[in-house]
Amino acid sequence: MVSAPLSILRLTKSSPLPMWISVMNALTAYVCTGNREVRQLACSYIQRALSANLQNVSWVTGAFHRVLFPLMDMLLRADLLADSAMEDTHARCISMLTMFFLHNASALQGTDGPSANQAISPQLRSAQIKESEGSSKALADLAGAHTGVVAEAPTEGKGEIQPPLNQIWLRLIGILSVYMHTSQLASESRAALSPQGERRMSDVSSGADAAERRHGHLGVLGEMAEESTKNCMLILESMGIFGN
């Protein structure tokens, strides 16, 4: 059972990108299953595959747009967010997404500009155009599903592809913001339902255990998303990406 996925993941750089993406998509489907061991194993295989030296920009952008972002969209479903048993899977995928972004930020920055899309396949380029047009609306819909607020997506730049780093960074921030907003809403809901209980728990102890009791698993994920956002911004600032 284990040897088959391992052999599949040992793909050479000459292997076609669509084959690699298909294998990764098959693995991401197992990340959302109810079996914890299966989820952990799938995450391990995905992480090992992403740890390979994907220097070609088409492979890096393909990993984001066709593997990681769809995976995070699945995890942001209301039922999977509400399931406390999925906390470790959410945390691991948040970490995997941000680490892969930071590892490839320099390469993505170097491909910004008109020539950036020349290395990308026509199929992926077409998909990126659609995602550029619809990513803001999709994130607004996701946030609205958890917040009850309906926001309009911007319409500027329709039909154009943003630079790879900008597009991926905005999608990543949008995903992390959903975790942070959901955590805030869960905390406010608990405080509104039982304010005295909240005060009693806050007086018991401090630290991670007290935070988890106050906010539950959504609070833990929200804090992790906030820290991941801060780390990304600090590292991108040190790279001079925000200096231009």
Side-chain angles (χ1 to χ4, degrees):
M1 294 295 293
V2 177
S3 59
L6 284 174
S7 63
I8 293 175
L9 288 177
R10 289 169 184 161
L11 297 173
T12 63
K13 293 182 179 179
S14 61
S15 298
L17 178 58
M19 178 185 294
W20 185 81
I21 291 176
S22 297
V23 173
M24 297 295 286
N25 286 337
L27 291 173
T28 58
Y30 289 103
V31 176
C32 300
T33 61
N35 189 298
R36 185 172 183 270
E37 293 182 0
V38 172
R39 294 199 307 267
Q40 289 182 333
L41 192 59
C43 287
S44 297
Y45 286 141
I46 294 172
Q47 192 165 10
R48 289 175 60 181
L50 294 176
S51 298
N53 191 19
L54 304 179
Q55 293 181 348
N56 191 314
V57 66
S58 64
W59 283 68
V60 174
T61 55
F64 277 112
H65 294 290
R66 288 291 168 261
V67 179
L68 290 173
F69 290 152
L71 170 61
M72 299 308 297
D73 289 341
M74 286 191 293
L75 288 173
L76 287 174
R77 279 170 25 196
D79 57 330
L80 296 182
L81 270 176
D83 189 357
S84 60
M86 293 285 294
E87 177 185 339
D88 58 337
T89 302
H90 282 280
R92 187 165 184 177
C93 289
I94 291 173
S95 176
M96 187 163 51
L97 174 65
T98 53
M99 291 300 295
F100 186 70
F101 172 75
L102 293 175
H103 180 72
N104 293 281
S106 297
L108 292 170
Q109 182 188 25
T111 60
D112 285 354
S115 62
N117 298 311
Q118 293 180 358
I120 302 176
S121 65
Q123 294 83 359
L124 185 57
R125 186 183 301 114
S126 176
Q128 286 184 349
I129 292 176
K130 294 179 181 178
E131 186 167 2
S132 289
E133 296 175 355
S135 59
S136 296
K137 182 180 184 302
L139 289 172
D141 292 343
L142 274 174
H146 299 293
T147 63
V149 177
V150 178
E152 292 186 2
T155 58
E156 297 181 0
K158 185 174 181 180
E160 298 178 358
I161 303 178
Q162 299 177 6
L165 180 62
N166 293 3
Q167 186 181 12
I168 292 171
W169 168 243
L170 291 174
R171 283 284 281 128
L172 178 115
I173 286 296
I175 290 168
L176 295 178
S177 68
V178 174
Y179 281 103
M180 289 185 280
H181 286 306
T182 304
S183 170
Q184 182 180 2
L185 287 176
S187 177
E188 293 174 354
S189 177
R190 288 194 174 199
L193 290 174
S194 181
Q196 295 181 352
E198 287 290 317
R199 285 197 296 269
R200 285 198 299 269
M201 283 190 292
S202 63
D203 294 336
V204 172
S205 60
S206 60
D209 292 339
E212 185 173 357
R213 283 194 294 271
R214 288 195 301 270
H215 308 304
H217 71 285
L218 291 177
V220 175
L221 294 176
E223 291 175 1
M224 181 178 184
E226 184 177 354
E227 288 301 316
S228 297
T229 302
K230 292 178 181 178
N231 291 337
C232 287
M233 294 185 70
L234 287 173
I235 293 177
L236 292 180
E237 176 65 24
S238 68
M239 294 168 57
I241 291 178
F242 297 140
N244 297 329

